[in-house]
Amino acid sequence: MFRLFYVSTASPDFGPSDIKPLVETASAKNRKLGITGALKFNGINFAQVLEGEKDAVLRLMSTIRYDKRHTGVIVVAEIESDERMFGHWDMSFVDGLDFQDFVNAMSSRKEEREQNA
Ligand SMILES: Cc1cc2nc3c(=O)[nH]c(=O)nc-3n(C[C@H](O)[C@H](O)[C@H](O)COP(=O)(O)O)c2cc1C
């Protein structure tokens, strides 16, 4: 299991009404690819966690990276893990300003892994 976390900036013409179609497409495609995760949008920035088979996640990420609906994609963390954190969601959309729980989730796992190394 591979988990990737990135942040990006929405394009200027991307608005709240554009979220629904994005999440619908993403959920359907993720289900086919066996990818789960969560997406946050605070009106300016996206934060997304994608998890699944490494090849599938990286391939999807290379599509997402060049999506014109956002720019400045920064992959913050990539980790191997035994279990899914978002196994119930093909793509859970979380509306809100607080990205901290994503950051905490990724960094705590990283520390755990470093401790076990
Ligand atoms: C912020 C953001 C997050 C996205 N997340 C996903 C996702 O989780 N899964 C997905 O299939 N597409 C996601 N997309 C859309 C992809 O970039 C792409 O449009 C979609 O996968 C369809 O690609 P295709 O036409 O090559 O099949 C996201 C796009 C943006 C801007």
Side-chain angles (χ1 to χ4, degrees):
M1 244 288 310
F2 181 74
R3 187 180 308 123
L4 181 151
F5 175 52
Y6 75 85
V7 293
S8 67
T9 303
S11 300
D13 56 352
F14 189 93
S17 62
D18 297 315
I19 276 288
K20 201 172 167 228
L22 191 161
V23 171
E24 280 171 4
T25 314
S27 303
K29 191 168 154 185
N30 290 4
R31 197 171 311 131
K32 283 190 204 136
L33 297 174
I35 289 176
T36 53
L39 175 69
K40 280 200 177 204
F41 178 54
N42 69 357
I44 298 170
N45 298 108
F46 292 107
Q48 187 172 31
V49 173
L50 297 167
E51 53 186 22
E53 284 295 318
K54 187 170 185 174
D55 285 356
V57 170
L58 291 178
R59 204 171 311 128
L60 177 61
M61 192 58 221
S62 61
T63 301
I64 293 175
R65 185 180 284 279
Y66 296 107
D67 195 307
K68 296 269 190 313
R69 289 170 283 189
H70 63 173
T71 56
V73 173
I74 298 169
V75 175
V76 180
E78 296 176 285
I79 58 177
E80 305 277 354
S81 172
D82 291 339
E83 58 196 57
R84 289 181 190 252
M85 283 175 61
F86 300 95
H88 299 302
W89 293 286
D90 300 312
M91 187 44 58
S92 139
F93 177 62
V94 197
D95 206 354
L97 291 169
D98 187 13
F99 285 6
Q100 196 57 43
D101 51 353
F102 275 18
V103 176
N104 288 350
M106 296 303 290
S107 54
S108 67
R109 288 290 169 154
K110 192 163 167 254
E111 279 157 25
E112 205 175 281
R113 200 168 57 114
E114 279 162 6
Q115 274 165 17
N116 292 337

